[in-house]
Amino acid sequence: MKTWMMMAILSLGASALAERSTINFNEDWRFARFGAMPDGSERAEPEGLESASLDDSQWRSLNVPHDWGIEGPFRDDLPNRTGKLPWAGIGWYRKTVDAPVSDAGKKIFIDFDGAMSDSKVWLNGEYVGEWPYGYSSFRLDLSNHWKPGEKNTIAVRLDNKPESSRWYPGGGIYRNVRLVKTEPVHVDHWGIFVTTPDVSKKEATISIKTEVAGADDHTIILQEIVEAGVQGEGAHLQIKVANPKLWSLESPTLYTLKTTVKQNGIVVDVVETSFGIRTIEYTSEGFFLNGKKVRMNGVCQHHDLGPLGSAINTRAIERQIEILQEMGVNAIRTAHNPPAPELLDLCDRMGILVQVEAFDCWEKSKAPNDYARHFPEWHEKDLRAMIKRDRNHASVVMWSTGNETREMKKKEDAPVSQMLTDIAKSEDSTRPITYGCNAPNAGWNGFQKTTDLFGYNYKPHLYQKFRNVNPMQPFYGSETASTVSSRGEYFFPVSDEKHLGQGGDFQVSSYDLTAPPWANNPDIEFAAQDKYPWVFGEFVWTGFDYIGEPTPYNQDKTNLLNFSDPAERKRMEEELERLGGNIPPRSSYFGIVDLCGFKKDRFYIYQARWRPELPMAHILPHWNWPERIGEVTPVHVYTSGDEAELFLNGKSLGRKRKGEFEYRLRWDDVVYEPGEVKVVAYKDGKIWAEDLQKTTGNSAKLELVADRSEIAADGQDLSFITVRVVDAEGLVVPRSHNSVQFKIEGPGEIIAVGNGDPTSHESFHALERRVFNGLALVVVRSVKGESGSVVVKADSDGLAAGEIEIEVK
Ligand code: GAL
């Protein structure tokens, strides 16, 4: 009987489609929290939560990606630097599925794109593996304990230690999960490596290496480049593509490699890999993509998605990139950890260069419970995982082994860096290795020689000195600016002194002149980039605001690590001391764009520089200052033109021209009177662009504007709705802070609200929100499989209501 059953199963397996199946494993998990609870209490973690027989029916039911921290509440007693949100603690996820009988004889894997953090995984009560680093993607082999024809229960335990990060890490299974079923002979995990060693207009050589698990003499590997219709056979081979369409920023063409594995003549596995054909080269003169010099106009980005937290959503990342591209961004540094794979897919498709970074610390910690705990045992596995996962992305143009690690200042620190470089190169020799360096002397003490590309964080004054010592080494600003501002806040008198903590209510003025002591305003970095054309670009800290690290109101003592100058360090220490206690800020002020994706003024100084062909001008501040009549109220203008004339209520306040190394036009002695301030910008003597700011009337109504009025009924797609408080004429009232209530009807749900105020403790999960300086955000998600019209209504006391309709298809 037993033998017969086995045979039946085997023959079923062989006659059924023998290719791999990749199953989305995101839905219907059960979830419970233990240890530190969101309300500050402690809940004991019982034994045996991994047991197959545990009754978890009372646990909360949810889908992943899920971030348990973003649900809040914001708590005064929690640290500012990690967002004042309850992400620390223990979380268990359990999911039970029926396995078909046809699983017999198959390999069963579970793939996590990321689980925050210290994950441990069981199947049917049996321990199957772990992966501590919350930013790594990993695969576990479930085959030994998988029960075909029965129920199978997967249990995942995550444990977020407090003080394990310098920013908000989030918590939970916050990226996608898949179940992968293959035949015993199959393409190994991340087993394909496509490179393009020779590329010309006429022909490209595509080199393909494939690792197949379980392969023997009867295994055949076939490769096909689908769009080009060319094929080959073998585990290591080269295929030629005639007249290749190159991957470039303007036209990011992608090709598909179809890998087919046959065993004894039967197809057992088919895998598709997307790749691009392009060349990259770094010289002492710059970066070259397909032979063309490209200056990297980059931003650093943390991984959270503002009010959505760290739970990844492809549309939310795509929206971020769209906004960044509108500004002229062509490069992203994934500070300071491996990103969600969807980010790289989007960058491939949208034409963005990426620096993928591995670590924020090595052996020496920056926070008591950070990755330094795991570095000795895990650095190699994590670094290899990062590179193997991401090495086929055309967008990825360099690997970073770390950021401002504490090993850097001394000569003796170089070997750790060299060891990581060697590991990275052993996985991928086609891309250079870099590192974000903030110790001046690491540019000449030997440390610099451990990486191919050298990047300074915040050291424009040292670029030439570095060059004098290392004339041939490609060089860039790995982290720049760190200017701070709150959208729509302006403080007077305006001062060029980049002091900390100015202004009331824990906001920072948006004249874009304020930066912490180690940092600069954008203009200073621009000047260095222009003075030294061999600098291949910059990565501004940061593109978007992120949760945590609300410098200059950060209680984060690790801020002090950023100081090389003892006097500056002492000044910062005193400032933090002075600010002590429970201060409200919980998200950054560094973003060029705020936490909701609303542009701050700074957006336009970058756009003016990075998109010189786009006619644009931007005036700041807004022009609603009833208390400043007769007072000096400086007006600054960002423009891609070279000259501009300012008018106040029709009267010219003079025409100004940008000087050498000048990036903003300033009328610092304007005396405020209500009305209209208008700029006319010129380029080469011709009118180029205009902008104006008008004193508005009182708040009259709510206006709702969606980024997309049609979304897919896939339960994932999002519409980002901007809520504006406007006057009778439709002008946004810049200092309005009205509280707004929302209602939704139809097949959609409001999954988050926000307003970009870094000090607000209002929940992101609510049906109401105060606008911050005129704006708030509502994020609507479709319901899977349900189409129709979604109507969002907004109400606020004393204002005419607003409404918008979104089609879900
Ligand atoms: C850098 C650091 C970043 C962030 C930034 C703030 O030194 O690399 O992670 O902390 O400072 O200015």
Side-chain angles (χ1 to χ4, degrees):
M1 175 68 178
K2 215 172 167 191
T3 330
W4 177 87
M5 252 192 64
M6 273 293 288
M7 281 185 53
I9 289 165
L10 279 179
S11 67
L12 240 180
S15 62
L17 241 196
E19 292 168 22
R20 77 171 51 205
S21 53
T22 301
I23 299 156
N24 175 317
F25 215 55
N26 288 342
E27 289 178 9
D28 300 326
W29 289 81
R30 294 281 173 172
F31 171 70
R33 279 190 73 159
F34 303 93
M37 299 298 283
D39 62 1
S41 64
E42 281 284 322
R43 181 180 182 200
E45 181 191 21
E47 297 277 306
L49 297 179
E50 73 282 7
S51 157
S53 58
L54 181 91
D55 177 9
D56 57 19
S57 60
Q58 298 308 306
W59 288 23
R60 176 174 160 197
S61 147
L62 51 73
N63 296 340
V64 301
H66 169 238
D67 171 10
W68 75 56
I70 202 67
E71 296 168 5
F74 288 105
R75 283 211 335 253
D76 260 342
D77 60 314
L78 292 173
N80 304 65
R81 61 190 294 209
T82 51
K84 293 184 117 32
L85 284 167
W87 54 270
I90 295 163
W92 278 83
Y93 292 82
R94 290 170 54 93
K95 177 173 161 90
T96 300
V97 288
D98 285 313
V101 173
S102 60
D103 280 354
K106 298 219 163 153
K107 299 293 285 182
I108 313 289
F109 303 102
I110 188 162
D111 286 355
F112 292 92
D113 285 346
M116 189 66 73
S117 62
D118 284 27
S119 61
K120 295 195 184 338
V121 181
W122 291 261
L123 171 64
N124 300 326
E126 306 285 344
Y127 183 69
V128 288
E130 62 188 41
W131 206 288
Y133 194 27
Y135 296 105
S136 278
S137 294
F138 60 99
R139 162 172 288 190
L140 297 173
D141 187 347
L142 305 180
S143 313
N144 286 344
H145 304 291
W146 191 254
K147 297 182 183 160
E150 295 182 34
K151 285 199 185 309
N152 286 268
T153 300
I154 290 162
V156 181
R157 179 187 191 266
L158 303 178
D159 182 2
N160 283 335
K161 305 245 184 295
E163 300 198 87
S164 51
S165 182
R166 292 193 301 118
W167 57 87
Y168 174 74
I173 302 181
Y174 72 110
R175 291 181 183 165
N176 290 307
V177 188
R178 289 169 301 278
L179 200 66
V180 179
K181 301 179 179 179
T182 72
E183 292 299 307
V185 178
H186 60 271
V187 174
D188 226 343
H189 192 216
W190 302 323
I192 294 176
F193 188 17
V194 189
T195 58
T196 55
D198 277 310
V199 179
S200 73
K201 270 206 165 123
K202 276 178 70 186
E203 191 178 76
T205 306
I206 317 299
S207 163
I208 306 155
K209 289 190 180 161
T210 309
E211 289 163 21
V212 172
D216 60 22
D217 292 349
H218 306 285
T219 311
I220 293 176
I221 303 168
L222 301 166
Q223 308 285 10
E224 180 190 353
I225 296 169
V226 177
E227 294 78 3
V230 287
Q231 299 168 358
E233 187 187 315
H236 286 194
L237 85 157
Q238 299 204 326
I239 302 182
K240 307 261 188 216
V241 171
N243 306 315
K245 292 205 180 87
L246 302 192
W247 184 91
S248 66
L249 300 184
E250 301 75 30
S251 156
T253 309
L254 295 171
Y255 285 84
T256 313
L257 172 73
K258 186 172 170 192
T259 306
T260 303
V261 180
K262 284 185 176 176
Q263 186 68 14
N264 300 319
I266 297 175
V267 174
V268 290
D269 201 8
V270 178
V271 169
E272 291 196 343
T273 308
S274 157
F275 71 100
I277 302 177
R278 49 105 176 114
T279 63
I280 56 169
E281 193 189 357
Y282 297 81
T283 74
S284 56
E285 296 313 307
F287 167 72
F288 298 82
L289 178 66
N290 302 321
K292 193 177 120 199
K293 185 164 173 171
V294 176
R295 180 73 76 103
M296 290 195 198
N297 302 328
V299 289
C300 300
Q301 287 280 87
H302 267 317
H303 70 307
D304 77 60
L305 295 167
L308 299 175
S310 64
I312 92 108
N313 175 286
T314 307
R315 171 58 201 158
I317 305 176
E318 182 183 52
R319 172 178 177 255
Q320 286 195 332
I321 299 175
E322 283 168 1
I323 293 168
L324 293 172
Q325 280 187 321
E326 187 189 334
M327 179 166 75
V329 164
N330 65 9
I332 289 175
R333 171 182 178 213
T334 70
H336 303 297
N337 42 259
E342 288 76 10
L343 176 103
L344 299 179
D345 293 338
L346 287 163
C347 290
D348 283 351
R349 191 160 63 65
M350 297 169 80
I352 293 277
L353 306 168
V354 187
Q355 174 188 137
V356 176
E357 187 154 81
F359 307 119
D360 189 49
C361 69
W362 294 341
E363 285 165 350
K364 296 182 189 162
S365 59
K366 292 179 176 177
N369 292 317
D370 65 14
Y371 184 74
R373 287 182 298 143
H374 301 299
F375 186 86
E377 198 189 325
W378 282 88
H379 66 270
E380 181 166 357
K381 285 177 255 190
D382 282 313
L383 189 55
R384 289 192 190 280
M386 176 183 100
I387 296 178
K388 288 187 88 161
R389 190 195 74 177
D390 295 341
R391 63 192 174 176
N392 293 323
H393 287 279
S395 58
V396 176
V397 293
M398 54 180 134
W399 305 113
S400 165
T401 56
N403 172 64
E404 300 186 357
T405 57
R406 287 173 59 204
E407 305 87 342
M408 164 178 51
K409 297 197 180 109
K410 290 192 261 105
K411 235 196 189 129
E412 305 81 74
D413 291 329
V416 194
S417 173
Q418 188 61 54
M419 171 202 58
L420 293 167
T421 293
D422 293 345
I423 295 171
K425 285 203 178 279
S426 74
E427 290 294 347
D428 176 15
S429 59
T430 72
R431 295 176 179 87
I433 312 303
T434 189
Y435 171 91
C437 182
N438 71 334
N441 61 343
W444 44 84
N445 70 5
F447 186 93
Q448 83 278 17
K449 299 208 176 102
T450 63
T451 60
D452 302 304
L453 314 174
F454 193 82
Y456 264 139
N457 291 2
Y458 313 106
K459 306 275 178 289
H461 54 290
L462 291 180
Y463 290 177
Q464 186 59 56
K465 184 164 179 190
F466 177 85
R467 178 80 164 181
N468 295 343
V469 183
N470 310 281
M472 297 314 289
Q473 188 165 8
F475 178 88
Y476 70 114
S478 39
E479 209 174 294
T480 60
S482 261
T483 306
V484 279
S485 63
S486 307
R487 175 180 53 76
E489 296 283 324
Y490 305 92
F491 301 137
F492 304 94
V494 172
S495 156
D496 275 89
E497 204 189 308
K498 54 164 197 176
H499 51 303
L500 286 174
Q502 71 160 350
D505 295 336
F506 295 104
Q507 302 294 354
V508 183
S509 184
S510 201
Y511 272 90
D512 298 334
L513 295 165
T514 308
W518 61 89
N520 301 306
N521 61 39
D523 320 50
I524 289 178
E525 183 63 34
F526 291 164
Q529 300 268 326
D530 281 345
K531 227 162 140 187
Y532 312 120
W534 37 266
V535 177
F536 73 73
E538 65 166 315
F539 288 83
V540 180
W541 192 265
T542 47
F544 272 62
D545 270 331
Y546 52 95
I547 306 173
E549 210 183 19
T551 304
Y553 308 111
N554 195 7
Q555 285 164 302
D556 177 5
K557 298 277 178 195
T558 67
N559 248 313
L560 300 174
L561 297 174
N562 290 313
F563 295 86
S564 20
D565 174 351
E568 288 285 88
R569 191 184 159 103
K570 184 147 187 300
R571 191 151 80 85
M572 183 60 171
E573 211 156 17
E574 284 165 9
E575 183 69 10
L576 288 171
E577 207 55 47
R578 189 181 70 75
L579 289 170
N582 288 330
I583 56 172
R586 48 74 173 155
S587 59
S588 80
Y589 300 77
F590 291 118
I592 300 170
V593 175
D594 79 12
L595 202 67
C596 288
F598 301 140
K599 295 159 190 161
K600 300 184 191 172
D601 292 299
R602 248 186 297 151
F603 181 93
Y604 298 98
I605 196 170
Y606 286 101
Q607 189 184 57
R609 177 178 174 79
W610 289 347
R611 296 185 65 187
E613 301 312 319
L614 177 78
M616 55 75 62
H618 176 79
I619 293 185
L620 67 97
H622 62 71
W623 215 238
N624 277 31
W625 303 105
E627 76 281 25
R628 299 192 61 75
I629 292 175
E631 292 194 45
V632 169
T633 306
V635 174
H636 291 190
V637 167
Y638 304 143
T639 175
S640 50
D642 44 31
E643 225 181 322
E645 185 167 10
L646 194 73
F647 298 89
L648 177 56
N649 291 328
K651 190 170 143 264
S652 175
L653 299 184
R655 189 157 158 165
K656 293 187 192 258
R657 195 178 174 78
K658 283 186 201 163
E660 200 186 13
F661 306 127
E662 213 183 336
Y663 306 93
R664 68 175 86 197
L665 293 168
R666 301 172 62 149
W667 285 262
D668 278 329
D669 47 9
V670 179
V671 176
Y672 180 76
E673 57 184 61
E676 179 185 288
V677 58
K678 177 176 159 180
V679 68
V680 179
Y682 293 83
K683 191 168 176 179
D684 300 327
K686 294 201 192 87
I687 290 190
W688 176 247
E690 291 185 5
D691 190 30
L692 57 82
Q693 290 284 357
K694 244 173 142 176
T695 308
T696 75
N698 293 334
S699 303
K701 56 186 175 188
L702 293 170
E703 204 177 73
L704 271 54
V705 187
D707 68 332
R708 288 185 315 152
S709 51
E710 202 182 294
I711 61 173
D714 58 5
Q716 299 294 321
D717 207 359
L718 306 176
S719 182
F720 288 84
I721 299 169
T722 300
V723 180
R724 298 176 177 159
V725 172
V726 296
D727 70 1
E729 269 187 64
L731 295 174
V732 174
V733 181
R735 294 164 83 178
S736 52
H737 291 93
N738 311 58
S739 191
V740 185
Q741 289 80 42
F742 305 106
K743 281 197 206 104
I744 185 164
E745 289 159 16
E749 43 179 338
I750 292 178
I751 59 161
V753 293
N755 62 13
D757 175 355
T759 68
S760 169
H761 286 197
E762 287 176 275
S763 173
F764 292 128
H765 287 241
L767 289 176
E768 62 185 319
R769 192 71 178 188
R770 249 159 38 99
V771 300
F772 176 59
N773 293 327
L775 305 178
L777 178 75
V778 178
V779 186
V780 171
R781 185 172 63 197
S782 62
V783 177
K784 194 173 171 182
E786 288 183 32
S787 53
S789 293
V790 168
V791 177
V792 176
K793 292 185 178 158
D795 279 297
S796 180
D797 262 0
L799 301 181
E803 183 174 315
I804 193 166
E805 197 173 313
I806 297 155
E807 280 309 305
V808 182
K809 290 195 169 163

